[in-house]
């Protein structure tokens, strides 16, 4: 009798720059790894901002404390969990593009080797926020502030559907960390 355990595809190598990895705290590097794993499991072609948001909330206690209480956080997690069981199916196969950076045309590779334009922009903004604070490495709060500041990304769509005022969240994080 054959083993019926499904074959799990190998996780592809990241396509983001080496300096991006060097610019991340160990905690944020774990968030990126989690987002990549989530995108692969969901069958998405790219790591998008909702993958990053989900991984941030699961992995980073500082990010969880940025929300206004456990009820708000639970609603956000509820929407993120629904993504993998149908809510996000309308996003599958579509490139997330909030207009933050130009979309690169061409045929996407198979597997999760790419960042959505919005996710790439959020990572760049997180690095910028860290530098403004005099830090060489971006942390989870830098990334959540960057995500919340992009009004047209999927992460903000999830936040707003869960009743989170993304602009207020970005402002609150910015004030607390000196990123205004």
């Amino acid at each position: 009798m054959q083993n019926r355990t499904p074959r799990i595809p190998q996780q592809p190598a990241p396509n983001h720059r080496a300096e991006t990895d060097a610019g991340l705290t160990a905690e944020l590097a774990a968030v990126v790894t989690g987002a990549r794993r989530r995108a692969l499991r969901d069958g998405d072609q790219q790591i998008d901002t909702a993958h990053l948001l989900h991984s941030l909330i699961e992995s980073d206690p500082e990010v969880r404390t940025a929300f206004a209480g456990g009820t708000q956080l639970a609603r956000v997690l509820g929407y993120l969990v629904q993504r993998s069981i149908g809510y996000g199916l309308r996003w599958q196969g579509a490139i997330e593009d909030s207009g933050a950076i130009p979309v690169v045309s061409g045929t996407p590779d198979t597997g999760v080797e790419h960042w959505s334009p919005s996710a790439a922009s959020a990572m760049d903004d997180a690095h910028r926020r860290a530098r403004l604070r005099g830090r060489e490495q971006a942390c989870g709060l830098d990334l959540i502030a960057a995500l919340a500041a992009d009004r047209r990304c999927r992460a903000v769509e999830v936040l707003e559907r869960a009743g989170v005022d993304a602009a207020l969240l970005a402002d609150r994080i910015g004030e607390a960390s000196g990123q205004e």
Side-chain angles (χ1 to χ4, degrees), residues 19-39:
E19 61 268 18
T20 299
D21 281 345
L24 305 176
T25 60
E27 294 82 9
L28 192 52
V31 166
V32 169
T33 299
R36 184 176 294 114
R37 196 175 313 117
R38 184 169 303 287

Side-chain angles (χ1 to χ4, degrees), residues 24-102:
L24 305 176
T25 60
E27 294 82 9
L28 192 52
V31 166
V32 169
T33 299
R36 184 176 294 114
R37 196 175 313 117
R38 184 169 303 287
L40 182 64
R41 185 175 53 234
D42 290 349
D44 294 331
Q45 291 292 317
Q46 297 180 323
I47 298 168
D48 68 21
T49 60
H51 294 123
L52 289 170
L53 176 65
H54 200 161
S55 191
L56 268 171
I57 290 172
E58 284 183 335
S59 304
D60 194 322
E62 284 186 318
V63 168
R64 289 192 296 272
T65 62
F67 286 86
T71 303
Q72 188 179 66
L73 193 56
R75 283 194 310 259
V76 172
L77 278 171
Y79 275 102
L80 289 166
V81 168
Q82 288 179 33
R83 175 189 177 143
S84 61
I85 59 172
Y87 170 73
L89 290 179
R90 62 189 170 85
W91 289 337
Q92 271 189 337
I95 295 174
E96 175 190 31
D97 180 23
S98 67
I101 61 173

Side-chain angles (χ1 to χ4, degrees), residues 156-175:
V156 168
E157 182 180 337
V158 169
L159 290 171
E160 290 180 347
R161 286 181 180 253
V164 176
D165 183 334
L168 182 62
L169 177 65
D171 289 346
R172 188 171 48 237
I173 294 167
E175 289 171 7

